[in-house]
Amino acid sequence: MDTIITRFPPSPSGYLHIGGARTALFNWLYARKTKGKFILRIEDTDEARSTKESVDAILESLEWLGIDWDEGPYFQTHRYDIYNDHIEKLVASGHAYHCSCTAEEVNSMREDAKAKGKNPQYNGKCRNRNLSRTDNTVVRLKTPATGVTIVEDVVKGNTAFGNAEIDDFIIQRSNGVAMYNLAVVVDDLTMNINTIIRGDDHLVNTPKQILIYQALGAELPVFGHVPMVLGADKARLSKRHGAMSVGEYKNMGFLADAMINYLVRLGWSHGDQEFFERRDLIEKFDLEHLGRSASMFDADKLLALNAKHIQAKSPKELGEHLLFHLSALGIEAQNDAFTQAIIETLQPRSKTLVEMAKAAVFYYKDEIEFDQKAADKFFKPEIEQMLTKICDAIEALCDYTQENLENLFKQIMEETGLGFGKIAQPLRVAITGTTVSPGIFEMLLALGQKKTIQRLRKAIIFIQALA
Ligand code: GLU
């Protein structure tokens, strides 16, 4: 079999949205699975709507997702000469022709057709006039008047389009600029793309593109049109269904691996498996299991999957991603043993990295602030003595281990007659400033002996000042 070559050709008129990312992912996975090639092409011929910011945002989102490309990014605006060469060839071979009909003429042809109960179309007036190019001529493709063009689709099966419904459409404007469908086909051909997976909103273009392939005497690629991603209300996904931009998900603390896992399940399945690691996906992905029915975006499911991926990763791996979110909170940390110990305490209870970063802040702070309510409730004068006991005992520990800490607490409970909760809560406030934190022992271990002692001493001074 030939090397599989796929592509992702975004139009840079906005960020990379969920639907686009899913298309990119399907093509990328298929290329990676088959050890093929994945090409990135920027479809920027709509120069009024294309922006450099969008290109940058799209590339950044792809990079974040870990969707890397083997070639490109190519820009269509740099390729007009290639399109025009192909247009010349089509004219020379009699598959296309110059047309001088004005917009008004074409409009009245459409009206006539409508009046006769036909599709409103261009009527082929210049087809056999053998006109030459002028500043006012466009180039049209000679399309067959009868028969059908069949789109063979690995997802949807075959769809037949009546050729009579397709008029001699324009492939080059009078200003010499190639039209969209022509540019896409020439790109796909010259880039040797042989597999095209895209949203089914493009299915209407496919018969026209097939006619261009045929006119160029070229072999067709494999097409697969995947159904759109819908919101829970079955309407096409839009801003009101939540964040649309992949970049926003990064900022909201999602892991790229969770995002990829979520995206792939919007239209592809492998039995009833829900959780996939990246390499697992590359191994298992196929075109046969792309679904025919639209999938619904479910933000809760994405969140649950993110929590699972957070739990599945090593603290070291998570550290690499967490630093970004810590930095957003003003904490410049390293992915070192301290950070990794912190992560371990937060992993089971964080659904996002933002949540994790917020919960991690207290570990890094030199000065923690005591939550007023928590301090009022738990920093009673009698607590000072208990905290001092704990602090002294911790300071005396040669081995700062879970076992020794547990024994130490047992002893204090016996001595003071206090239950664990009565000791743990004030201690928690002393260490974190609040009443919510990971388990006492894991937290104390992650914080380390020195910092634990420092914090307890500060809390003791704070309580003394209250008296
Ligand atoms: N540029 C198109 C888009 O962003 C994709 C066209 C294609 O996949 O053929 O929707």
Side-chain angles (χ1 to χ4, degrees), residues 196-415:
I196 295 178
I197 308 299
R198 61 186 169 200
D200 64 5
D201 51 336
H202 287 285
L203 183 62
V204 289
N205 288 323
T206 311
K208 289 185 177 179
Q209 294 180 3
I210 289 178
L211 293 174
I212 299 173
Y213 274 99
Q214 287 169 346
L216 287 166
E219 217 177 288
L220 294 181
V222 169
F223 289 107
H225 292 87
V226 288
M228 296 283 94
V229 181
L230 306 178
D233 54 2
K234 301 212 162 98
R236 197 169 159 175
L237 198 61
S238 72
K239 196 79 197 153
R240 75 197 151 81
H241 295 110
M244 289 284 290
S245 142
V246 168
E248 266 178 71
Y249 285 96
K250 175 189 177 189
N251 293 335
M252 289 187 318
F254 286 84
L255 282 169
D257 280 0
M259 200 69 205
I260 276 193
N261 185 165
Y262 183 70
L263 288 172
V264 83
R265 291 286 296 111
L266 292 171
W268 177 81
S269 59
H270 184 80
D272 52 12
Q273 186 174 345
E274 289 291 346
F275 182 88
F276 294 90
E277 307 266 12
R278 187 177 292 257
R279 56 175 181 282
D280 199 20
L281 274 182
I282 292 174
E283 198 177 294
K284 292 181 175 152
F285 186 77
D286 58 7
L287 302 185
E288 287 73 35
H289 292 91
L290 286 172
R292 286 174 183 223
S293 45
S295 23
M296 250 138 12
F297 185 79
D298 178 345
D300 291 337
K301 206 169 154 190
L302 170 59
L303 193 61
L305 213 43
N306 200 49
K308 278 200 183 131
H309 277 269
I310 286 180
Q311 282 168 31
K313 287 210 179 296
S314 71
K316 189 167 177 211
E317 275 175 291
L318 285 176
E320 280 164 37
H321 306 292
L322 188 68
L323 297 189
F324 167 80
H325 297 284
L326 284 171
S327 175
L329 296 173
I331 292 175
E332 298 311 327
Q334 307 291 321
N335 186 10
D336 52 15
F338 181 51
T339 294
Q340 287 161 28
I342 291 170
I343 290 173
E344 225 176 314
T345 68
L346 299 170
Q347 242 173 312
R349 61 196 87 234
S350 308
K351 288 203 171 74
T352 70
L353 293 174
V354 167
E355 233 177 78
M356 186 184 271
K358 282 187 183 156
V361 167
F362 83 85
Y363 282 110
Y364 292 97
K365 286 261 171 92
D366 286 331
E367 291 288 334
I368 56 158
E369 274 173 38
F370 301 111
D371 173 69
Q372 185 71 46
K373 259 202 205 144
D376 287 349
K377 185 161 177 204
F378 293 105
F379 284 174
K380 301 287 184 219
E382 64 272 19
I383 293 300
E384 183 205 328
Q385 217 188 351
M386 192 254 309
L387 288 182
T388 307
K389 249 186 213 299
I390 296 176
C391 190
D392 291 344
I394 289 180
E395 208 160 16
L397 279 183
C398 295
D399 271 335
Y400 190 67
T401 61
Q402 166 117 8
E403 201 190 343
N404 285 345
L405 279 176
E406 279 173 16
N407 287 335
L408 184 154
F409 271 73
K410 247 185 239 155
Q411 219 173 327
I412 299 220
M413 277 156 70
E414 270 164 29
E415 274 176 36

Side-chain angles (χ1 to χ4, degrees), residues 130-147:
N130 216 3
L131 298 176
S132 303
R133 175 187 299 279
T134 72
D135 286 349
N136 297 316
T137 52
V138 296
V139 177
R140 290 182 181 272
L141 190 78
K142 244 182 228 177
T143 63
T146 57

Side-chain angles (χ1 to χ4, degrees), residues 7 9-11 41 43 180 184 188 196 198 201-202 209:
R7 46 50 150 204
S11 305
R41 173 171 87 228
E43 302 207 325
Y180 174 72
V184 169
D188 287 337
I196 295 178
R198 61 186 169 200
D201 51 336
H202 287 285
Q209 294 180 3

Side-chain angles (χ1 to χ4, degrees), residues 50 93 257:
S50 301
S93 64
D257 280 0

